[in-house]
Amino acid sequence: MFLENTDKLLHKKLDSREFDSYGVLVFKDGNSEFLHSPNVNADTYFDIASMGKVLITATLILKAVGDKRLTVDDTLDRFFPDVPPEKKNISILRLLTHTSGIIRHEIPAAVAENGSAAIARYILSFPLAFEPGTAQIYSCNAYILLGFIVEKIYGMPLDETFYTYIKAPLGLTRSRFNIAVDEENAAVSYKRRDVGEYRADDENVYVMKGIAGNGAQFWTMADIRRFTDAVMSKSDKLYPEWVYTAAEKDYVGSIGEAWGFGWLITDKNYTQTGMLFPLGSFGHCGHTGCSFFMNREKNMYVIILTNATRFLNMKNNFNGYDYGVIMKMREDIHNEIYKDLQNGGLL
């Protein structure tokens, strides 16, 4: 596999300081290539942001579904006894597909200090943005609730559940919740000026001391590849084969973006995978500048790890940024990969 165009684009972006760390892995029909900046190897930590929604939280929910510990039709009142009446019938499915009406609100540190029950009450105290199932708004707070549900189902903290039911079975080597603020071999991915106490980029994850269901864990390319290979092979180390089939189709329809059980499904309106991934491919993005997508029919996946959002914010002296630039970056990288695979007769 020869990724000449992709390599040139990545070097150009590195030279223009769109990021200072990147790794891009392309897999097609048993062939693979790993392009990376000089300061990155397969074991470099990246804050994978919302990719953690599927790498950890949704996967643990689906494992519980496969183990018959819950169903996607179970509702919030099973797990949160003091849930307000208008929210008690919100289902796991609605949380997974961002159709619950629960939207993101910043969690005050004073609330987070009181633990998961206080955080759940805070999240559930806000009015719904819409009646569940009638619209869609991407919701980090819905996934924080899913993380709490995982803890209730498995009877242990979310990070321990991950280590027990994902990391150990797949043989992941480094990926984890939280890393040291001076961790070696780690890309700086937080978009704020100073690191603070935790390296997690997401503000809500930060006040939750780095452990939350909406993401911001630290993964390596080698471990994401192990996870993706497990999904592509429908490994029962994650969950039964029938769950893969159920999880990888759209449950949203015309009311919003196509989403499966945690997976973003590419549709005709989705641009970030460019020309590379056909409709019906699936994956997820991370706000820090990361993504991974796969397609079973093409026997193909692409993992992109960068710290581009930090550098976009740095260029504006940490006064904000246009995330559309990151979205366009993903589209451009996927399009160059498409050209290279075509030129190499692999598409």
Side-chain angles (χ1 to χ4, degrees), residues 2 54 71 85 87 119 122 183-184 243 262 297 308 335-336:
F2 188 47
V54 289
T71 76
K87 302 179 182 76
I119 296 169
Y122 183 80
E183 188 81 39
E184 294 184 1
V243 179
E297 289 71 27
N335 280 337
E336 294 307 304

Side-chain angles (χ1 to χ4, degrees), residues 106-173:
E106 299 302 307
I107 299 169
V111 171
E113 288 173 359
N114 291 316
S116 59
I119 296 169
R121 282 194 298 271
Y122 183 80
I123 291 173
L124 293 169
S125 70
F126 289 92
L128 295 174
F130 50 82
E131 182 180 348
T134 64
Q136 182 184 59
I137 296 178
Y138 186 83
S139 178
C140 286
N141 285 11
Y143 271 76
I144 291 175
L145 294 179
L146 284 170
F148 294 154
I149 290 170
V150 166
E151 294 180 334
K152 290 172 182 287
I153 290 292
Y154 287 98
M156 64 180 79
L158 184 61
D159 55 342
E160 292 182 21
T161 312
F162 161 65
Y163 301 147
T164 302
Y165 292 104
I166 299 177
K167 186 172 182 176
L170 294 186
L172 308 184
T173 60

Side-chain angles (χ1 to χ4, degrees), residues 17-47:
R17 299 290 286 174
E18 294 183 41
F19 39 65
D20 79 341
S21 304
Y22 72 81
V24 174
L25 189 145
V26 181
F27 173 92
K28 179 71 172 76
D29 292 332
N31 300 300
S32 66
E33 186 70 28
F34 176 40
L35 304 175
H36 56 89
S37 55
N39 60 339
V40 166
N41 59 37
D43 290 322
T44 301
Y45 280 123
F46 283 82
D47 181 338

Side-chain angles (χ1 to χ4, degrees), residues 272-273 276-277 304 330-338:
Q272 294 185 59
T273 50
L276 182 60
F277 283 94
I304 298 173
R330 291 193 189 101
E331 181 180 2
D332 290 345
I333 293 173
H334 284 119
N335 280 337
E336 294 307 304
I337 295 170
Y338 176 80

Side-chain angles (χ1 to χ4, degrees), residues 61-70 154 165 238-240 242-243:
I61 288 288
L62 295 180
K63 177 175 177 54
V65 169
D67 292 343
K68 310 298 184 183
R69 294 174 183 244
L70 82 168
Y154 287 98
Y165 292 104
L238 293 178
Y239 37 78
W242 68 267
V243 179

Side-chain angles (χ1 to χ4, degrees), residues 33-336:
E33 186 70 28
F34 176 40
L35 304 175
H36 56 89
S37 55
N39 60 339
V40 166
N41 59 37
D43 290 322
T44 301
Y45 280 123
F46 283 82
D47 181 338
I48 47 83
S50 284
M51 283 168 59
K53 288 182 171 69
V54 289
L55 285 168
I56 295 176
T57 308
T59 293
L60 291 170
I61 288 288
L62 295 180
K63 177 175 177 54
V65 169
D67 292 343
K68 310 298 184 183
R69 294 174 183 244
L70 82 168
T71 76
V72 296
D73 295 320
D74 285 344
T75 52
L76 289 183
D77 57 350
R78 174 183 167 185
F79 307 101
F80 305 101
D82 54 352
V83 61
E86 73 277 11
K87 302 179 182 76
K88 67 178 184 178
N89 291 324
I90 293 175
S91 67
I92 298 288
L93 173 63
R94 296 294 171 215
L95 299 177
L96 287 170
T97 58
H98 305 281
T99 56
S100 68
I102 295 169
I103 61 174
R104 182 183 177 107
H105 294 279
E106 299 302 307
I107 299 169
V111 171
E113 288 173 359
N114 291 316
S116 59
I119 296 169
R121 282 194 298 271
Y122 183 80
I123 291 173
L124 293 169
S125 70
F126 289 92
L128 295 174
F130 50 82
E131 182 180 348
T134 64
Q136 182 184 59
I137 296 178
Y138 186 83
S139 178
C140 286
N141 285 11
Y143 271 76
I144 291 175
L145 294 179
L146 284 170
F148 294 154
I149 290 170
V150 166
E151 294 180 334
K152 290 172 182 287
I153 290 292
Y154 287 98
M156 64 180 79
L158 184 61
D159 55 342
E160 292 182 21
T161 312
F162 161 65
Y163 301 147
T164 302
Y165 292 104
I166 299 177
K167 186 172 182 176
L170 294 186
L172 308 184
T173 60
R174 297 193 80 209
S175 299
R176 56 176 297 166
F177 287 71
N178 281 330
I179 59 174
V181 296
D182 58 350
E183 188 81 39
E184 294 184 1
N185 198 15
V188 178
S189 299
Y190 49 86
K191 58 184 176 286
R192 57 192 178 274
R193 190 184 301 273
D194 301 313
V195 57
E197 188 175 0
Y198 302 99
R199 286 184 64 140
D201 178 61
D202 183 271
E203 295 82 359
N204 282 346
V205 180
Y206 188 95
V207 299
M208 292 175 66
K209 300 182 179 180
I211 300 174
N214 62 314
Q217 298 87 16
F218 296 87
W219 281 63
T220 68
M221 179 64 79
D223 282 348
I224 297 174
R225 181 173 191 169
R226 291 183 182 98
F227 179 95
T228 306
D229 285 339
V231 172
M232 291 291 285
S233 66
K234 298 186 177 181
S235 171
D236 59 7
K237 291 180 180 179
L238 293 178
Y239 37 78
E241 184 172 350
W242 68 267
V243 179
Y244 289 95
T245 302
E248 296 165 15
K249 60 183 181 180
D250 177 34
Y251 290 88
V252 176
S254 61
I255 64 172
E257 294 179 330
W259 286 88
F261 294 162
W263 294 111
L264 170 65
I265 312 295
T266 59
D267 60 18
K268 61 183 177 61
N269 297 314
Y270 193 74
T271 61
Q272 294 185 59
T273 50
M275 300 178 290
L276 182 60
F277 283 94
L279 302 184
S281 303
F282 60 98
H284 212 286
C285 296
H287 197 87
T288 48
C290 304
S291 65
F292 74 137
F293 285 90
M294 59 197 89
N295 183 275
R296 294 195 181 281
E297 289 71 27
K298 296 288 185 180
N299 193 24
M300 174 176 67
Y301 61 78
V302 172
I303 304 166
I304 298 173
L305 300 179
T306 79
N307 56 354
T309 304
R310 174 175 176 80
F311 278 75
L312 187 60
N313 202 26
M314 286 171 61
K315 287 183 177 181
N316 197 27
N317 197 27
F318 297 96
N319 288 317
Y321 52 90
D322 177 5
Y323 187 65
V325 174
I326 305 299
M327 298 166 68
K328 184 63 166 58
M329 176 199 75
R330 291 193 189 101
E331 181 180 2
D332 290 345
I333 293 173
H334 284 119
N335 280 337
E336 294 307 304

